[in-house]
Amino acid sequence: MSYDEPTDPAAYRRRVQYDDTATSTLDQSLRAPVTGTGSFPAADEDGRDRLGVHLGWEVVLLVATGAIAFLLFREDSAALQRPALDSLLVLGAAIGLLTLGAGLSLRAGVPNLAIGPIALAAAFHYAENGDQGLVPALTPALIIGAAGGLVTAVVILALHVPGWAATLAAGLGVVVYAQLRIAPVDVQGDWNPTDQAFPLFGGFALLALIGGALGAIGPVRRWVGAFRPAGDPARRGSPAAAVPVILALVASSLFAVGAGVILAAGPNDPVVPGTGLEWTGIGIGLALLGGTSAYGRRGGIFGTLFAVTALTLFLDYEERRELDIALFAIAASVFVAGLIVTRLVETYGRPLPAGTGVEWNAAPSNGTWSPDRPETWNAPAEQQPARSDRWDDGPWGATR
């Protein structure tokens, strides 16, 4: 029996699956390979993700937040004192809810691009119906938002289409509702969220930390991201992926409704018609900047909280300095920075591959042995070559 000897040193490091047509153990080397992969495809699941890169980046975010807070304090020390601090916390809570919704949908593999239009539509709804009271005005908005998220999730699951495409279509439909207004709408309600500034921001911070901690747990992370494609993205996945997709889209839509109501009631300024897509960019951009990968596989723990706090302080600083930076420009900058962070965490956040030591190489060693050479180990004693008693004689001492 003859066969081709492997000449590639990595030949024995490949994981190759064979069919089961061979009937004997001696036929194992003759089985036809059906699939071949380079390195082990399951290496990402061989161990825990390396959180060091996330923690290191979160330290950078914390330093940046402190630097922006110092600049704001130097510009106006009253900005970090009440009542101005209450307005800052309310704005941070609204932006934080958008970021939470964006991060959750990213982790589930269905990035919700409709969160900005939903927030703007909710702001218009509250502005026009706030005189009925907070609960009567908020309840229909929450029901419609949850229903919209549910319908979008059903479309994604039934047609098995990318989440970003379906949510973008839903967002464009919501924009139509906002575009029916041709003039700013004054807020009719008298609810002032600054009275609950600390509970609102504290609730966001608690949700962000709990979500980050749960996302670091392997089984939870895999369950939430069951819809993320592992091969052909157009191939239907298992029915088990339906539950996290529905929960993620419904929850992110509800977060967007809450953010829109807070944005409308907080400054008590008229709600201006628009598209709301700038808030989508800010929400998803901050989620990426906080360490959540654009692929949804990895995420940090404190990054969302630090990123939201930094942007909230910057928006107030920019307004006090009268820099007049467009919100779309800020959203684009945050988004690009978030994409860079995604590459950072994807490059250095993967677990170390199994078997990082020196690997055995079974390839031929440049002719040090050949079957053409005579075998003398089992020859009769009279045919054995003469052997000297000197330990440095022979080929091992040739270079001495």
Side-chain angles (χ1 to χ4, degrees):
M1 179 179 65
S2 63
Y3 57 92
D4 294 334
E5 291 185 354
T7 58
D8 181 8
Y12 290 87
R13 297 197 297 268
R14 289 195 181 96
R15 179 186 179 186
V16 181
Q17 295 178 343
Y18 297 93
D19 60 19
D20 295 328
T21 57
T23 57
S24 66
T25 306
L26 295 177
D27 294 334
Q28 297 292 326
S29 62
L30 298 179
R31 291 184 176 185
V34 291
T35 57
T37 59
S39 52
F40 289 87
D44 287 346
E45 303 300 335
D46 287 344
R48 295 173 58 89
D49 283 350
R50 289 181 288 174
L51 292 177
V53 62
H54 292 282
L55 297 178
W57 173 246
E58 287 164 2
V59 170
V60 175
L61 286 176
L62 179 61
V63 173
T65 302
I68 298 174
F70 172 76
L71 292 176
L72 180 59
F73 180 80
R74 191 176 64 174
E75 180 69 22
D76 187 356
S77 60
L80 299 179
Q81 301 174 3
R82 304 185 70 175
L85 179 60
D86 293 337
S87 299
L88 267 180
L89 294 176
V90 168
L91 178 60
I95 297 176
L97 288 177
L98 285 173
T99 306
L100 286 178
L104 177 60
S105 62
L106 281 171
R107 297 302 293 265
V110 283
N112 193 350
L113 302 186
I115 54 175
I118 291 174
L120 181 59
F124 274 120
H125 175 81
Y126 177 77
E128 296 169 345
N129 302 278
D131 54 347
Q132 302 176 8
L134 176 62
V135 174
L138 184 59
T139 301
L142 292 175
I143 294 176
I144 295 174
L150 178 60
V151 170
T152 305
V154 170
V155 171
I156 292 173
L157 295 170
L159 301 180
H160 195 75
V161 293
W164 65 266
T167 57
L168 178 59
L172 294 177
V174 177
V175 169
V176 175
Y177 172 81
Q179 291 293 308
L180 295 176
R181 283 83 179 165
I182 59 176
V185 177
D186 294 326
V187 179
Q188 303 299 321
D190 56 358
W191 176 63
N192 188 3
T194 56
D195 296 336
Q196 294 87 31
F198 283 91
L200 286 174
F201 189 83
F204 148 69
L206 182 62
L207 288 176
L209 296 180
I210 293 176
L214 290 177
I217 302 175
V220 175
R221 181 182 65 233
R222 287 189 291 272
W223 178 77
V224 172
F227 188 77
R228 294 196 302 266
D232 183 0
R235 181 171 297 172
R236 292 181 180 273
S238 64
V243 176
V245 168
I246 293 174
L247 292 179
L249 288 178
V250 170
S252 61
S253 299
L254 293 178
F255 286 152
V257 170
V261 172
I262 294 176
L263 287 174
N268 204 26
D269 295 331
V271 180
V272 180
T275 63
L277 293 177
E278 66 274 26
W279 290 111
T280 294
I282 285 179
I284 296 182
L286 284 177
L288 299 177
L289 188 65
T292 302
S293 171
Y295 301 99
R297 175 66 172 78
R298 294 167 179 82
I301 298 178
F302 303 96
T304 297
L305 176 60
F306 294 158
V308 169
T309 303
L311 182 66
T312 303
L313 294 172
F314 175 79
L315 289 177
D316 190 45
Y317 175 76
E318 177 266 338
E319 182 179 1
R320 293 178 184 273
R321 289 294 304 269
E322 298 181 354
L323 299 178
D324 295 330
I325 303 176
L327 200 57
F328 271 107
I330 296 176
S333 302
V334 171
F335 211 117
V336 171
L339 294 177
I340 297 175
V341 175
T342 286
R343 178 40 49 199
L344 178 69
V345 300
E346 285 292 339
T347 300
Y348 299 103
R350 296 180 179 274
L352 293 174
T356 56
V358 178
E359 297 177 340
W360 175 62
N361 184 359
S365 56
N366 298 326
T368 55
W369 178 87
S370 172
D372 297 331
R373 294 187 179 184
E375 295 182 358
T376 59
W377 62 274
N378 59 350
E382 59 272 10
Q383 297 181 12
Q384 294 285 349
R387 184 176 63 182
S388 172
D389 292 334
R390 290 179 56 87
W391 66 270
D392 58 344
D393 282 347
W396 53 84
T399 58
R400 295 182 58 84

